[in-house]
Amino acid sequence: MDATSKRLPAGFFQRDTPQVARELVGKTLVRAFGDGAVCRYRITETEAYCGQEDLACHTSKGRTRRTEVMFQPGGLVYVYLIYGLYWLLNVVTDQEGQGSAVLIRGLEGFDGPGRVGRELQLDRSFYGEDLDTSARLWVEDAPHEVTVTALPRIGIQYAGEPWVSKPWRFKQVPEINISPAGPEHR
């Protein structure tokens, strides 16, 4: 990593989970691949999962081998496999013992957490990766401002209310480019 990098420190992630989820939208996710390629992606969509009381969160069923990393201080990676095909990327948030994380649902050009995991070539080895020191995955601050909208989370009907309706999915609002001269009239 060069001296001008704007890598987000662990403290960024060790805060309120919905706040971190909202503020991650527009940030830059960096992946250094084994072949030496380094790719940067703008984060466009996230979802917050807020500890054991949140019935949509994996930790709502307690502390397990799978969820152990979620109980660590924010700034670590939590990956898990779904459908036997896709590794999903989550960033542990909040303080030690909280069991919270943010799912990275979209990157610019890659919508959906399965596509994100496939593009980043994630696997089990990323479980517990420290974003503050990792040489292969981290998040950087970004110079551009984005407009973010809050929506209900997707695919969690099993959790029931009030969890289904919580506006804890954060998505970048697409920019509209309008010509300075205005629309053409015929």
Side-chain angles (χ1 to χ4, degrees):
M1 182 175 80
D2 65 52
T4 62
S5 176
K6 298 175 186 171
R7 184 187 293 234
L8 296 177
F12 175 88
F13 303 100
Q14 296 169 2
R15 301 178 297 136
D16 175 70
T17 301
Q19 180 181 359
V20 172
R22 175 182 281 282
E23 291 178 15
L24 276 171
V25 176
K27 300 292 190 226
T28 303
L29 182 68
V30 183
R31 173 70 164 98
F33 294 93
D35 64 1
V38 176
C39 296
R40 286 177 162 75
Y41 307 88
R42 182 186 304 181
I43 299 170
T44 58
E45 187 175 358
T46 62
E47 276 182 351
Y49 289 89
C50 300
Q52 292 182 290
E53 66 281 352
D54 177 356
L55 296 183
C57 186
H58 289 172
T59 60
S60 68
K61 306 221 183 340
R63 202 171 193 143
T64 66
R65 247 180 79 205
R66 177 185 184 187
T67 64
E68 181 59 35
V69 73
M70 291 178 71
F71 290 94
Q72 302 307 307
L76 302 178
V77 172
Y78 168 50
V79 292
Y80 62 92
L81 188 66
I82 61 163
Y83 311 127
L85 297 171
Y86 306 108
W87 288 93
L88 302 193
L89 176 61
N90 296 261
V91 178
V92 176
T93 56
D94 217 317
Q95 301 300 307
E96 184 170 0
Q98 294 301 306
S100 299
V102 172
L103 172 66
I104 306 299
R105 288 196 56 81
L107 301 174
E108 195 165 56
F110 301 94
D111 292 330
R115 288 187 178 118
V116 167
R118 190 172 36 210
E119 170 64 18
L120 298 175
Q121 299 176 16
L122 298 178
D123 58 32
R124 182 185 319 273
S125 73
F126 283 87
Y127 183 91
E129 190 97 4
D130 188 337
L131 295 172
D132 200 27
T133 60
S134 176
R136 60 186 184 157
L137 186 69
W138 64 91
V139 180
E140 293 179 349
D141 203 357
H144 51 274
E145 299 263 336
V146 296
T147 303
V148 178
T149 188
L151 304 160
R153 296 176 291 182
I154 296 173
I156 61 161
Q157 287 67 28
Y158 60 86
E161 291 295 347
W163 309 108
V164 171
S165 298
K166 295 267 185 192
W168 287 348
R169 177 166 57 108
F170 301 95
K171 191 170 185 174
Q172 178 179 329
V173 176
E175 295 176 17
I176 299 173
N177 293 323
I178 300 175
S179 164
E184 291 184 356
H185 297 283
R186 293 184 184 200

